[in-house]
Structure formats: C-alpha cells, structure tokens
Amino acid sequence: MAIRNIREIGDPVLNKKCKEVNELTDRTRELIDDMFDTMYEANGVGLAAPQVGILKRIVVIDVTGEDPILLINPVIMESSGEQRGYEGCLSVPGKNGIVTRPNYVKIKAYNEEMKPFELEGTELLARAICHELEHLDGHLYVDRVEGDLVNTADLVDQDYE
Ligand code: ZN
C-alpha cells in the first residue's frame, strides 16, 4: 500500500477516457488499495483512477469515513431530483464551486471480486458518484460550475471534496 501522487488540473491524463476493467490482476488490486490510502490521506470523499494517472474505470468513495465503496466499471442507471451545492476536487486543490447534481442515483458496478452489484445513493453520496464517474470520461467539475470558483478558505461550510 502506498500514497500515490494526485494529478492536478492541466495534466492531460485528467481529460482522457478510461478503459473498462476486464479482470482484476494483482497490479489492479494494488492500485485499488493505493487509491483508498491516497483518498483518506488527502481527506477526500472520492477518488477516480485517472486522478492517480491510471486510465481505468475504477472509483473509490467514502462519504462518512466509515463506508468505503469500490466501483469498477460503474454506470448510472437512474437519476432523479436535484441538489445544488459546493463541490471540490482533489485535482483542483484549494477551490470550490457550485454544481447542480441529481439528488438520487442508482448505479451498476462491479466489486472487488468482479461481481456485479447495484447501489443507490442520495445527497452527498449521489453527488460523489456523479462527480467521480465523470472523471472516468475525462471531465472535471469545473466545467459545470455555476458562477466562479471560490477559494476553499473563504467557504464556511464545504459540502464535498
Ligand atoms: Zn474530482
């Protein structure tokens, strides 16, 4: 297990489309362990593989600090409702911006045994899922921000990073 270097906005790897994972090799398992370590070390609630320079459809999320979620090849099946709030990204350090997201999503993904499962999320989890899945197609939240990015230090209450 190791902490990996988080790529920042401007790095072309963040704008590339990621490839599906077909099998879990030892190397990929090590990547997943490292992604969790890297996310927790950076106090983030989500991290996508391209953020550590790997173009694979893998996401880790933990919105409470006690519920680690691994998503391999995740796909959104349903979404509904709307939430509007500040969002941040470990690849855009020190900044936040307002983004509107669905308030509910239902996704399909594969777990650490490459078994398919479904997951529903609301509020912060729904926001994190939408944010992280967009990373897999090379998109950053800054393209969706309403208004200007603000400095994290100026925010009293931060919804998501
Ligand atoms: Zn991000």
Side-chain angles (χ1 to χ4, degrees):
M1 299 207 290
I3 307 297
R4 300 208 184 190
N5 184 36
I6 297 177
R7 305 299 184 94
E8 296 185 0
I9 185 167
D11 188 321
V13 78
L14 293 173
N15 298 117
K16 297 207 163 105
K17 195 171 162 71
C18 297
K19 292 200 173 108
E20 289 208 344
V21 175
N22 296 316
E23 59 167 341
L24 275 191
T25 61
D26 288 347
R27 199 180 158 94
T28 306
R29 289 178 195 282
E30 191 182 333
L31 166 68
I32 292 165
D33 286 344
D34 289 354
M35 285 175 64
F36 275 112
D37 286 351
T38 304
M39 174 182 73
Y40 289 127
E41 169 76 14
N43 293 313
V45 300
L47 187 74
Q51 293 183 275
V52 292
I54 308 290
L55 293 172
K56 290 185 172 169
R57 302 188 82 79
I58 300 174
V59 160
V60 297
I61 291 174
D62 191 339
V63 295
T64 67
E66 297 172 351
D67 299 298
I69 297 170
L70 166 67
L71 304 175
I72 298 172
N73 302 338
V75 177
I76 292 178
M77 300 166 71
E78 284 178 47
S79 65
S80 64
E82 196 175 277
Q83 58 174 317
R84 191 167 175 273
Y86 278 104
E87 203 161 298
C89 179
L90 293 175
S91 294
V92 191
K95 300 286 182 184
N96 293 87
I98 291 175
V99 182
T100 299
R101 300 281 191 188
N103 200 46
Y104 165 87
V105 293
K106 181 179 179 183
I107 63 169
K108 186 181 79 175
Y110 292 83
N111 67 12
E112 67 284 349
E113 294 168 347
M114 287 304 280
K115 299 248 166 58
F117 69 100
E118 291 181 357
L119 175 71
E120 292 175 298
T122 60
E123 300 177 11
L124 181 56
L125 180 55
R127 179 179 292 280
I129 288 169
C130 292
H131 176 113
E132 299 308 333
L133 265 59
E134 285 185 351
H135 274 296
L136 303 181
D137 289 316
H139 302 302
L140 296 179
Y141 86 97
V142 295
D143 296 331
R144 289 180 170 275
V145 164
E146 297 155 32
D148 295 324
L149 287 175
V150 298
N151 292 319
T152 303
D154 297 336
L155 280 184
V156 178
D157 183 28
Q158 191 181 319
D159 289 337
Y160 175 61
E161 181 170 30

